[in-house]
Amino acid sequence: MVNAGVIGATGYAGAELVRVLAGHPQARLAAVSSVSFAGKPLSSVYPAYYGLCDLCCGTEEEVLQKSDVVFAALPHGLSQEIAKKCHDAGKVLIDLGADFRLKRLDEYEKWYQVKAVYPELHEEAVYGLPELFRDEIRGKKLIANPGCYTTAVPLALVPALQAGLIEKDGIIADCKSGVTGAGRKSTQDTHYPELNEGMHAYKVGGHRHTPEIEQTLRRFCGEEVTVVFTPHLLPVNRGILATCYAHLKSGTTLEQLQQTYEDFYRREYFVRVLPQGMRADIHHVRYSNFCEIELHIDPRTQMLIAVSAIDNMGKGAAGQAVQNMNLALGLEETAGLTALPPAF
Amino acid sequence: MVNAGVIGATGYAGAELVRVLAGHPQARLAAVSSVSFAGKPLSSVYPAYYGLCDLCCGTEEEVLQKSDVVFAALPHGLSQEIAKKCHDAGKVLIDLGADFRLKRLDEYEKWYQVKAVYPELHEEAVYGLPELFRDEIRGKKLIANPGCYTTAVPLALVPALQAGLIEKDGIIADCKSGVTGAGRKSTQDTHYPELNEGMHAYKVGGHRHTPEIEQTLRRFCGEEVTVVFTPHLLPVNRGILATCYAHLKSGTTLEQLQQTYEDFYRREYFVRVLPQGMRADIHHVRYSNFCEIELHIDPRTQMLIAVSAIDNMGKGAAGQAVQNMNLALGLEETAGLTALPPAF
Amino acid sequence: MVNAGVIGATGYAGAELVRVLAGHPQARLAAVSSVSFAGKPLSSVYPAYYGLCDLCCGTEEEVLQKSDVVFAALPHGLSQEIAKKCHDAGKVLIDLGADFRLKRLDEYEKWYQVKAVYPELHEEAVYGLPELFRDEIRGKKLIANPGCYTTAVPLALVPALQAGLIEKDGIIADCKSGVTGAGRKSTQDTHYPELNEGMHAYKVGGHRHTPEIEQTLRRFCGEEVTVVFTPHLLPVNRGILATCYAHLKSGTTLEQLQQTYEDFYRREYFVRVLPQGMRADIHHVRYSNFCEIELHIDPRTQMLIAVSAIDNMGKGAAGQAVQNMNLALGLEETAGLTALPPAF
Amino acid sequence: MVNAGVIGATGYAGAELVRVLAGHPQARLAAVSSVSFAGKPLSSVYPAYYGLCDLCCGTEEEVLQKSDVVFAALPHGLSQEIAKKCHDAGKVLIDLGADFRLKRLDEYEKWYQVKAVYPELHEEAVYGLPELFRDEIRGKKLIANPGCYTTAVPLALVPALQAGLIEKDGIIADCKSGVTGAGRKSTQDTHYPELNEGMHAYKVGGHRHTPEIEQTLRRFCGEEVTVVFTPHLLPVNRGILATCYAHLKSGTTLEQLQQTYEDFYRREYFVRVLPQGMRADIHHVRYSNFCEIELHIDPRTQMLIAVSAIDNMGKGAAGQAVQNMNLALGLEETAGLTALPPAF
């Protein structure tokens, strides 16, 4: 059994990690930490776990000592020192925060207003989106787990981009996120009566996931890509629906497009390219590591409209983190992630 | 007092009309009709009205006889004969259906698969989007009330288009609608457990509101316009959030854009151009005839991102229909429509 | 026009009062106050009001000066001094807080842990549940506006109790409240992802509305009454559903019961006793001052099951407060409160 | 591996069974049947299962042939013939319908208006509520799986009843159910805009689960019990919250009560008796087989208020059915049912 630990276990991503790890056949949850709830049982924060996972929140140090694999689910800036410690101790770190995602340190420092303290670790880190970069992840020790939008958008666009079916200019990603994406901390915006029956866009033109999406896309077209990315907040608990627009190269047919995606994801367990007539819906992938993709060509403008759906806490955070752990350790890639999503 | 009648009063648009008319200081609800619920009180379909509006559903003929102003809230195809009768009887008809919205009869016949029976009535009909075509509506007798998406999208784009700030090519409208837009008839898609906690796109690249949006836009740029329009279904009762993308002409600044919209809507009671920092949210306009517009320029691509929010049943249907009635009859334009939207 | 002012306008009850008063034909909103948002426009807290009600939050003193009628929507304990000032200045005070509801000062002091500073004002205050105590309210200057549960439960039980159809012992009120009842302040309990898809009871056996319910009931049976009252939190914005149980006296029939309620409320505009076969639903009374009552006899135990539904912010707070104002000032009792509730 | 089959797999209970069985370490889903969707893949009805469980719906006969254990999730009346066939073929039948739940055939025939065709099978059937009747279930071949309300209410009351702490007269169960309890078929009542933001009681004084609840309770007090049972429909997908009221015998203390429940459920994996201060919430048990119980004594009336929470589709249907299968076959009782409930 692998000993897994979670630093920042009382945030939503951390708590979902606990849930996924609890069902993993080859891992056991060795320790969890939290600054806000130090000394308290995890179930005092998440009563759904009461009697089932009553680990007490210890310190970061305790997690580092007791774990072979460390998951960090922290605000950006805080994972760098943890990465150093894991590196020195030879432990695997899966970082769910943003510290090691951007390869260009100037982009990281600009978008996150944090200094890159250990450039060599940034160099070493691999970007953990297995369907796109699997070979780089296997056996690695420092894995930057992508964000939710930055998983949903590239999965919807990369097959077309790599195959040269779409232009790299003029890409728009109009994304809709469930509320858990805003984190556990209650705010006026997430107070039930003010969010319920509402919907709005936020951080238009300035969300930090933008450079991360672009970084992934440019690896598949070999050039700079600039994306318009608009996130919206949706009154549901979980899910990202990404509606992506791109200019198709002249002559591309829907059959060709559909075939390209099906070929690209043919061996992927977690990505389902839907046949024409089925709709990608966040409802279908809740509490899971699956991704649905639905493809259209707007017949009057020759635009690709690719819609992807994931669970922001699953494939967009904790599920993908466990998939990365499996790859890093050489376990079965789907271990712990095969439960059927609920139908309702 | 104006005698107002509603044909198709038991559908959602019809029922909302009843509610709005019930609060109108110069109109009284003279008669309602329904095929499905003939002979039954309206409150047997909508118990919220029990004891307050217990009119029985009569026939179309009864509505025509008793009303000075007729509202028709019917599936497309069914309003043509009603329009003929109203025309012959000299009555005002506000048609909430799609029959008289498209000026090009070939477009109407192609998108709706219905034959235009009285071309002269199509000719006579005016398009009832008051903020854009007020002068055409005043005093008219046949008014085609726009659909919900076709109100939200043009309101978000026309000021920039008319001012020549955006290109007419490459416009995308990514729209999110509340469930009442799908009508009163229950279906598997709108069955609570399957819609709740979900979101999906529908009729991608083929929704019938597309030519109607384009018809409005081309009146403000003098040329053909082709729009990519993607509707989504959202688990809330009411609202349209329209996130509209367009290429800004080189050099346009946010200040210029904001000023253009504020000038355009300066005298409009129902449209609020939000100052920078406020967000358009369907939550803010529920149960009202108001429209919110929020403006952004994506700094890295020089795209306009204009977000508008309306209540699909208010400004997107019944509220606007009453606004049109007021204009047609020379009443105060805001009569019956000034209630504050609920804050929560 | 009556000049009305709201102290505590940025809480939910205060904000709803603003909305109701804005539609009142004989009142105008003269001033609002808020400690938390002093100097800020009300629309900065409730963007739904932007452009429509942009009054700035002033001080309590300003409200007192500018208003003929003062509404106080404050946490308990804070209305006593306001009542004194209103009394001295000869102004009408409608208090939406709990300070003047309980006639027995020892009960007040025990349940609220506050000292009754002006016993003579407590003596003077009338309890503003118009359907039960209309004659006491007319023309009065200090009115204690009931809470939400304390409106819904007595309306469901008093007709039977007064008619001697039920026993006074063994009454149970199992109540379900929408989230706005918990107020504007965001908490972990009202954070969207933790409340959505959940339901729980709270303050079981100890909610402060208990003695208030009992005070009303004992006025209709002439004896002490002890009620079991269990509130629950429900993932909807608005509404109280009160399911009330009482032992019927032997031989009472459903027809007799139904007739008793219909007679009791025959002249009441805001209470609808539903005919057998219709269901009381909070959905039907949202954004209104109406109350629905549905009556059953459990055939195997001879228990009365009376279900009432109100909007906790309407009949349960702001709507009733305006109804009380109308009575206090001799206006039409329904003025400003006749809008049809939305059907969906 | 056990071959398990589901008759009626496209209803909600059937579909949830498929999900639970898919995660069972010692069972495999051998066949499913559906009358409405014969010949179609299950994933055409539940797209969440697409690519993961694409079994086609066959006939009842096919399920009977291919399965060692048969689950029937059918409307009442239809399981009797299936039970006969299973009996003759020596197969285990877990019936999620109501046909074998009531031991008194006259009660069954009266409440369900169906004739008991094979009285000997009714005799043979055991009632599958493991925490109360485990020893009767082990190794049996015909198990009547309880309904949702009929699981939640007895679990909340039996410990006190058996210990003689409460009176058997005057028990009230005020229950709130998620919408999946109404089944997959869409109706006007479950149409999203009419259910959302609403709540109502239904089948007051006449729900068919009443005699089933009473049957369980009388086994623990040795006498006839008559219960007042009021179900309500709640705008959430899943969950039963049962708020149960009973008269405590004089002198019973909260400590005694709490201890009695903790002792009763000490060895139960699926029932968590919450310590004082924690709240039972349907949010905590979603997608699981767990049950939470919260205990109170109303200090002023000496009434027990016991609140239990389950997932109506989990412990209230499919989860419990699998628990029963495990018991019937001598497998580990918790097999396939140990996943942590989601925290949000």
Side-chain angles (χ1 to χ4, degrees), chain C residues 38 40 43 50 127 163 178-179 203 282 316 318:
Chain C
K40 295 197 178 149
S43 62
Y50 179 74
Y127 190 72
V179 190
K203 292 191 189 159
I282 54 172

Short mmCIF file of all heavy atoms in Angstrom, two decimals, chain C residues 38 40 43 50 127 163 178-179 203 282 316 318:
data_model
loop_
_atom_site.label_atom_id
_atom_site.label_comp_id
_atom_site.label_asym_id
_atom_site.label_seq_id
_atom_site.Cartn_x
_atom_site.Cartn_y
_atom_site.Cartn_z
N ALA C 38 -23.14 52.48 6.01
CA ALA C 38 -23.40 53.92 6.13
C ALA C 38 -22.74 54.68 4.99
O ALA C 38 -21.57 54.45 4.67
CB ALA C 38 -22.89 54.41 7.47
N LYS C 40 -23.30 54.47 1.88
CA LYS C 40 -23.29 53.80 0.58
C LYS C 40 -24.72 53.69 0.04
O LYS C 40 -25.67 53.55 0.79
CB LYS C 40 -22.70 52.40 0.73
CG LYS C 40 -21.23 52.45 1.13
CD LYS C 40 -20.54 51.14 0.89
CE LYS C 40 -19.06 51.26 1.26
NZ LYS C 40 -18.52 49.99 1.74
N SER C 43 -28.17 50.29 -3.50
CA SER C 43 -27.96 49.46 -4.68
C SER C 43 -26.54 48.90 -4.74
O SER C 43 -26.26 48.01 -5.53
CB SER C 43 -28.27 50.23 -5.95
OG SER C 43 -27.42 51.34 -6.06
N TYR C 50 -30.29 48.73 -8.60
CA TYR C 50 -29.44 49.75 -9.24
C TYR C 50 -30.22 50.57 -10.27
O TYR C 50 -30.87 50.02 -11.16
CB TYR C 50 -28.24 49.07 -9.91
CG TYR C 50 -27.32 50.03 -10.61
CD1 TYR C 50 -26.47 50.87 -9.90
CD2 TYR C 50 -27.31 50.12 -12.00
CE1 TYR C 50 -25.63 51.76 -10.53
CE2 TYR C 50 -26.48 51.01 -12.65
CZ TYR C 50 -25.64 51.82 -11.91
OH TYR C 50 -24.81 52.71 -12.55
N TYR C 127 -49.69 43.49 18.78
CA TYR C 127 -49.08 42.41 18.01
C TYR C 127 -49.71 42.40 16.61
O TYR C 127 -50.92 42.19 16.47
CB TYR C 127 -49.32 41.09 18.73
CG TYR C 127 -48.54 39.93 18.16
CD1 TYR C 127 -47.16 39.85 18.34
CD2 TYR C 127 -49.18 38.93 17.45
CE1 TYR C 127 -46.44 38.78 17.82
CE2 TYR C 127 -48.47 37.86 16.93
CZ TYR C 127 -47.09 37.80 17.12
OH TYR C 127 -46.39 36.73 16.60
N ALA C 163 -62.58 27.56 17.61
CA ALA C 163 -63.87 26.88 17.50
C ALA C 163 -63.97 25.68 18.43
O ALA C 163 -64.98 24.98 18.44
CB ALA C 163 -64.09 26.44 16.05
N GLY C 178 -37.22 28.70 4.02
CA GLY C 178 -36.24 29.08 3.01
C GLY C 178 -35.05 29.78 3.64
O GLY C 178 -35.11 30.24 4.78
N VAL C 179 -33.97 29.91 2.87
CA VAL C 179 -32.69 30.35 3.41
C VAL C 179 -32.65 31.82 3.77
O VAL C 179 -31.89 32.23 4.63
CB VAL C 179 -31.55 30.02 2.43
CG1 VAL C 179 -30.20 30.24 3.08
CG2 VAL C 179 -31.67 28.59 1.93
N LYS C 203 -32.03 24.21 15.92
CA LYS C 203 -32.60 24.74 17.18
C LYS C 203 -33.80 23.93 17.65
O LYS C 203 -34.82 24.50 18.07
CB LYS C 203 -33.01 26.21 16.99
CG LYS C 203 -31.81 27.13 16.79
CD LYS C 203 -32.19 28.61 16.87
CE LYS C 203 -31.01 29.47 16.44
NZ LYS C 203 -31.41 30.82 16.01
N ILE C 282 -45.17 26.50 -0.90
CA ILE C 282 -44.48 27.79 -0.80
C ILE C 282 -44.25 28.38 -2.19
O ILE C 282 -44.10 29.60 -2.34
CB ILE C 282 -43.13 27.67 -0.05
CG1 ILE C 282 -42.24 26.59 -0.67
CG2 ILE C 282 -43.36 27.36 1.41
CD1 ILE C 282 -40.82 26.55 -0.08
N GLY C 316 -44.39 36.84 6.10
CA GLY C 316 -43.58 36.56 7.28
C GLY C 316 -42.71 37.72 7.72
O GLY C 316 -42.00 37.62 8.72
N ALA C 318 -41.86 41.59 5.57
CA ALA C 318 -42.07 42.92 5.00
C ALA C 318 -43.50 43.14 4.52
O ALA C 318 -44.05 44.24 4.69
CB ALA C 318 -41.09 43.14 3.85
#
